[in-house]
Amino acid sequence: MQIDQQNSVDIESFAQWLKIIGEPNRLRIINLLMGGVQCNCEIGDVLGMAPNLISHHLKVLRDEGLVNVERDSADSRWLYYTLNIEKLDLIQKTFSEFFDPTRIQPRQASCGPRDAILELTTN
Amino acid sequence: MQIDQQNSVDIESFAQWLKIIGEPNRLRIINLLMGGVQCNCEIGDVLGMAPNLISHHLKVLRDEGLVNVERDSADSRWLYYTLNIEKLDLIQKTFSEFFDPTRIQPRQASCGPRDAILELTTN
DNA sequence: CATATAATTCAATAGAGATTGAACTATTAT
DNA sequence: ATAATAGTTCAATCTCTATTGAATTATATG
């Protein structure tokens, strides 16, 4: 199922992305990642969240391909999470296309009482 | 709390919008509204959902200001739902600003072992 | 080796909200 | 008046998932 002819991403996947991004703590984590904070510990400090909860949300983000992770070369206990820019670009592109104002059509004649159709089709 | 200096919408509200839009059936409803389907009955037919469930989702969308509703002037049993374009524009604007690639900063020195900081700040 | 650190994994709980069926309101049609 | 129509509201259930605390892994340090 496709959103429309111009869009190659199905509604199910798009909704999934939005749901994942739409969790407040995850959105805060993404916000921090954009600002240059990349390790579990400091995210927890800034947001006042337990490390395992940060891990959980980062895993959700990573499973969906929204963030990447790499280990510190000097001390591999440290993990650095970074945003997957390509994925974010795709999401933003999908968002723009889905909510493109030119997609909006007037009400179709298939719905409503017959005598009211013509006067409302120009909405 | 603001997303950043250029953005006047707080993260909590932004997350709320995304969560509401990110529900698959609501996204399908929005998709139909954009395509010109505007009454409960036909949405239910197309999506195979019960009328009361459509009502529920439309109420969520309306409470958040994403859709407007008006009664048919000839037969007031019929309700026509339309998208609130201004609201969608605001959401899309917020989305673009939040995920603006130029906001992305390299890793801050406040996190990670000291000797690894310098070699990673150019990520 | 023993301890500390960074982070994850696991199990259990709790809360939010989608879904369902039934009852209800308002309006129109016979 | 009675029935049909469009839609909402209500109450209950069910599912998903965020959260919490404890245990575990892996690595580094003294």
Coordinates of all heavy atoms in Angstrom, one line a residue, chain A residues 40-41 52 55 77-78 81, chain C residues 4-10:
Chain A
N40 N 25.3 7.2 26.6 CA 24.2 6.9 27.5 C 24.2 7.7 28.8 O 23.3 8.3 29.1 CB 24.3 5.4 27.8 CG 23.1 4.9 28.5 OD1 22.6 5.5 29.4 ND2 22.6 3.7 28.1
C41 N 25.4 7.7 29.4 CA 25.6 8.3 30.7 C 25.1 9.8 30.7 O 24.4 10.2 31.6 CB 27.0 8.2 31.2 SG 28.2 9.0 30.2
N52 N 19.3 2.2 32.0 CA 18.6 1.1 31.3 C 17.4 1.6 30.5 O 17.1 1.1 29.5 CB 18.2 0.0 32.3 CG 17.3 0.6 33.4 OD1 17.2 1.8 33.6 ND2 16.7 -0.3 34.2
S55 N 19.0 3.1 27.4 CA 19.3 1.9 26.6 C 18.1 1.4 25.8 O 18.2 1.1 24.6 CB 19.9 0.8 27.4 OG 21.3 1.0 27.7
R77 N 34.3 0.6 26.7 CA 33.1 0.6 27.5 C 32.1 1.7 27.1 O 30.9 1.7 27.3 CB 33.4 0.9 29.0 CG 34.1 -0.3 29.7 CD 34.5 0.0 31.1 NE 35.4 1.2 31.1 CZ 36.0 1.7 32.2 NH1 35.7 1.1 33.4 NH2 36.8 2.7 32.2
W78 N 32.7 2.7 26.5 CA 31.9 3.9 26.0 C 31.3 3.7 24.6 O 32.0 3.3 23.7 CB 32.7 5.2 26.0 CG 33.2 5.6 27.4 CD1 34.2 5.0 28.1 CD2 32.7 6.6 28.2 NE1 34.4 5.6 29.3 CE2 33.5 6.6 29.4 CE3 31.7 7.6 28.0 CZ2 33.2 7.5 30.4 CZ3 31.4 8.5 29.1 CH2 32.2 8.4 30.2
Y81 N 26.4 7.2 20.3 CA 25.3 7.1 19.3 C 25.2 8.3 18.5 O 25.4 9.4 18.9 CB 24.0 6.9 20.1 CG 23.8 5.6 20.8 CD1 24.2 5.3 22.1 CD2 23.2 4.5 20.0 CE1 24.1 4.0 22.6 CE2 23.1 3.3 20.6 CZ 23.5 3.0 21.9 OH 23.3 1.8 22.4
Chain C
dA4 P 34.6 -0.7 44.6 OP1 34.6 0.4 45.6 OP2 33.5 -1.6 44.5 O5' 34.6 0.1 43.2 C5' 35.8 0.8 42.8 C4' 35.7 1.3 41.4 O4' 35.8 0.2 40.4 C3' 34.3 1.9 41.1 O3' 34.5 3.2 40.4 C2' 33.6 0.9 40.2 C1' 34.8 0.2 39.5 N9 34.5 -1.2 39.2 C8 34.1 -2.2 40.0 N7 34.0 -3.3 39.4 C5 34.4 -3.1 38.1 C6 34.5 -3.9 36.9 N6 34.2 -5.2 36.9 N1 34.9 -3.3 35.8 C2 35.2 -2.0 35.8 N3 35.2 -1.1 36.8 C4 34.7 -1.8 37.9
dT5 P 33.3 4.1 40.0 OP1 33.8 5.5 40.2 OP2 32.1 3.6 40.7 O5' 33.2 3.8 38.4 C5' 34.3 3.8 37.6 C4' 33.9 3.5 36.2 O4' 33.8 2.0 36.1 C3' 32.6 4.1 35.7 O3' 32.8 4.7 34.5 C2' 31.6 2.9 35.7 C1' 32.6 1.8 35.3 N1 32.2 0.4 35.7 C2 32.3 -0.6 34.8 O2 32.7 -0.4 33.7 N3 31.9 -1.9 35.3 C4 31.4 -2.2 36.5 O4 31.0 -3.3 36.8 C5 31.3 -1.1 37.4 C7 30.8 -1.3 38.8 C6 31.7 0.2 37.0
dA6 P 31.7 5.7 33.9 OP1 32.4 6.8 33.3 OP2 30.6 5.9 35.0 O5' 31.0 4.8 32.8 C5' 31.8 4.5 31.6 C4' 31.0 3.6 30.7 O4' 30.8 2.3 31.2 C3' 29.5 4.2 30.4 O3' 29.3 4.3 29.1 C2' 28.6 3.2 31.1 C1' 29.5 1.9 31.1 N9 29.2 1.0 32.2 C8 29.0 1.3 33.5 N7 28.8 0.3 34.3 C5 28.9 -0.8 33.5 C6 28.8 -2.2 33.7 N6 28.5 -2.7 34.9 N1 28.9 -3.0 32.6 C2 29.1 -2.5 31.4 N3 29.3 -1.2 31.1 C4 29.1 -0.4 32.2
dA7 P 27.9 4.8 28.5 OP1 28.2 5.4 27.2 OP2 27.3 5.6 29.6 O5' 27.1 3.5 28.3 C5' 27.7 2.4 27.6 C4' 26.9 1.2 27.8 O4' 27.0 0.7 29.1 C3' 25.4 1.3 27.5 O3' 25.1 0.8 26.3 C2' 24.8 0.4 28.7 C1' 26.0 -0.2 29.4 N9 25.8 -0.4 30.8 C8 25.7 0.6 31.8 N7 25.5 0.1 33.0 C5 25.5 -1.3 32.8 C6 25.4 -2.4 33.6 N6 25.2 -2.3 34.9 N1 25.4 -3.6 33.1 C2 25.6 -3.8 31.8 N3 25.7 -2.8 30.8 C4 25.7 -1.6 31.4
dT8 P 23.6 0.6 25.8 OP1 23.6 0.7 24.3 OP2 22.7 1.4 26.6 O5' 23.3 -0.9 26.2 C5' 24.3 -1.9 25.8 C4' 23.9 -3.3 26.5 O4' 23.9 -3.1 27.9 C3' 22.5 -3.7 26.1 O3' 22.6 -5.0 25.5 C2' 21.7 -3.8 27.4 C1' 22.8 -3.9 28.4 N1 22.5 -3.3 29.8 C2 22.4 -4.1 30.9 O2 22.5 -5.3 30.8 N3 22.1 -3.5 32.0 C4 21.9 -2.1 32.2 O4 21.7 -1.6 33.3 C5 22.1 -1.3 31.0 C7 21.9 0.2 31.1 C6 22.4 -1.9 29.9
dT9 P 21.3 -5.7 24.8 OP1 21.8 -6.6 23.7 OP2 20.3 -4.7 24.5 O5' 20.8 -6.7 26.0 C5' 21.6 -7.6 26.6 C4' 20.9 -8.3 27.7 O4' 20.8 -7.5 28.9 C3' 19.5 -8.8 27.4 O3' 19.4 -10.2 27.8 C2' 18.6 -7.9 28.2 C1' 19.5 -7.6 29.4 N1 19.2 -6.3 30.1 C2 19.1 -6.3 31.5 O2 19.2 -7.3 32.2 N3 18.9 -5.1 32.1 C4 18.8 -3.9 31.4 O4 18.5 -2.8 32.0 C5 18.9 -3.9 30.0 C7 18.8 -2.7 29.2 C6 19.1 -5.1 29.4
dC10 P 18.1 -11.1 27.4 OP1 18.6 -12.4 27.1 OP2 17.3 -10.3 26.5 O5' 17.3 -11.2 28.8 C5' 18.1 -11.4 30.0 C4' 17.2 -11.3 31.2 O4' 17.2 -9.9 31.7 C3' 15.7 -11.7 30.9 O3' 15.3 -12.6 31.9 C2' 14.9 -10.4 31.1 C1' 15.8 -9.6 32.0 N1 15.7 -8.1 31.9 C2 15.6 -7.3 33.1 O2 15.5 -7.9 34.2 N3 15.5 -6.0 32.9 C4 15.6 -5.4 31.7 N4 15.5 -4.1 31.7 C5 15.7 -6.2 30.5 C6 15.8 -7.5 30.7

